[in-house]
Amino acid sequence: MNIIAVGELLWDCYPGGRQIGGAAGNFIYHATLMGAQARLMSAVGNDAAGDDLLVELARRGVACHVQRNARYPTGKVEVTLKARGVPEYDIVSPVAWDVIHPDVTLVAAVRAADVLYFGSLVQRHPPNQRLLHMLVTLLPPAGKVVVDINLRQGHYTPAVIAFCLRYANFLKLNDEELPLIADMFSLPRDPDGFYQHLRRTARLDMLIYTRGERGSVLLRGDERDALPGQSVATVDTVGAGDAFTAVATVLALQHAPLAEINRAASKVAAWVCTCPGGMPVMTGTAG
């Protein structure tokens, strides 16, 4: 299983220090822990912060092709934790990962991929919008597109979300995002109706719907599995959704039963919530 993620690699900057992060980086890290052949495609600045990110990726065993950008700095996000570890983000723009170039390595990787992952945030500027419009045409016919929509205020447009809905085979949304998107495009506001509509009218095979402390719902074909949330000693929830998406994607591509996918993804996401940052170093069994 060859998974390519195109997207963010950055520093999540907390009041007490910084952690490696970015949705695409988090996703690839957890897919790698699941045993997938997974590779991150991103960009950092030609600066010390970028050097440090590459060191951290190597320490975690993350395969990557990271371009160096002399014009824009390495990405960072100022993170403020609210009650129960829920983050509030101030996402710096523009940064290096806003301009990922379609170089030979990236194009060749997508042509050979089984899975192409991207999110909505990486499309906040036109260069990456054009890049992804090209890359989805290069994916092999049997390839799957995994999309994580993150509605960060000021960092998306209806056109970007429409592109995501059009091409997603696996789509990740949370309970705050789904009703906003449903209203944006006059779609059903419940996850079942939303999924079945896109199953009929687009390419959607599976909906990954997370509800924070209230658990998760997975929809695939005519199957549905709902799981309540787990009670854990939460440090912060940064990256928990990315971990959930990675585990669910790998297991779904292995044709695991839906209930098994939901339990495993929830367990890993809960473990991430007990650790600082979205790429906690695995020291034992997750959860």
Side-chain angles (χ1 to χ4, degrees), residues 38-259:
R39 194 176 186 192
L40 171 66
M41 303 286 171
S42 190
V44 297
N46 192 15
D47 49 30
D51 295 340
D52 293 345
L53 279 175
L54 295 180
V55 169
E56 288 298 313
L57 284 179
R59 187 165 80 90
R60 287 164 171 78
V62 176
C64 62
H65 171 59
V66 178
Q67 301 168 3
R68 304 303 294 257
N69 191 313
R71 181 176 180 185
Y72 296 109
T74 295
K76 70 174 183 177
V77 176
E78 300 293 341
V79 182
T80 303
L81 297 179
K82 302 185 292 183
R84 300 178 180 176
V86 176
E88 203 168 68
Y89 301 106
D90 181 9
I91 308 172
V92 176
S93 172
V95 293
W97 58 256
D98 284 311
V99 187
I100 301 173
H101 298 287
D103 62 20
V104 172
T105 300
L106 173 54
V107 169
V110 173
R111 287 188 186 276
D114 299 307
V115 177
L116 172 64
Y117 165 98
F118 56 85
S120 55
L121 183 59
V122 75
Q123 301 174 65
R124 63 184 178 172
H125 291 301
N128 282 355
Q129 293 170 21
R130 292 191 293 269
L131 172 71
L132 287 167
H133 279 254
M134 180 190 75
L135 293 182
V136 294
T137 69
L138 300 180
L139 194 66
K144 298 293 185 181
V145 174
V146 178
V147 177
D148 185 359
I149 293 181
N150 290 299
L151 297 185
R152 308 298 185 210
Q153 188 171 4
H155 295 280
Y156 69 91
T157 65
V160 163
I161 304 306
F163 171 76
C164 292
L165 297 182
R166 177 183 175 187
Y167 282 97
N169 298 113
F170 296 178
L171 179 65
K172 157 68 168 61
L173 292 172
N174 67 30
D175 53 352
E176 294 181 353
E177 294 156 350
L178 190 149
L180 292 174
I181 293 170
D183 291 347
M184 195 181 296
F185 298 104
S186 300
L187 300 175
R189 295 179 106 245
D190 65 291
D192 298 78
F194 183 93
Y195 167 68
Q196 294 299 340
H197 178 87
L198 289 178
R199 181 187 175 198
R200 292 191 308 269
T201 61
R203 305 181 179 188
L204 194 58
D205 298 326
M206 182 173 172
L207 178 66
I208 301 167
Y209 178 63
T210 57
R211 304 178 295 179
E213 295 178 341
R214 296 190 299 116
S216 53
V217 175
L218 299 184
L219 295 159
R220 181 177 64 181
D222 295 323
E223 300 176 274
R224 184 186 201 273
D225 186 78
L227 196 67
Q230 299 183 37
S231 179
V232 297
T234 299
V235 172
D236 70 61
T237 62
V238 174
D242 304 324
F244 192 109
T245 306
V247 175
T249 296
V250 173
L251 291 178
L253 292 169
Q254 294 172 347
H255 308 291
L258 207 60

Side-chain angles (χ1 to χ4, degrees), residues 7-30:
E8 311 94 300
L9 176 63
L10 52 83
W11 286 110
D12 284 320
C13 299
Y14 299 79
R18 67 183 186 178
Q19 295 285 343
I20 185 172
N26 295 339
F27 174 89
I28 285 296
Y29 172 65
H30 289 284

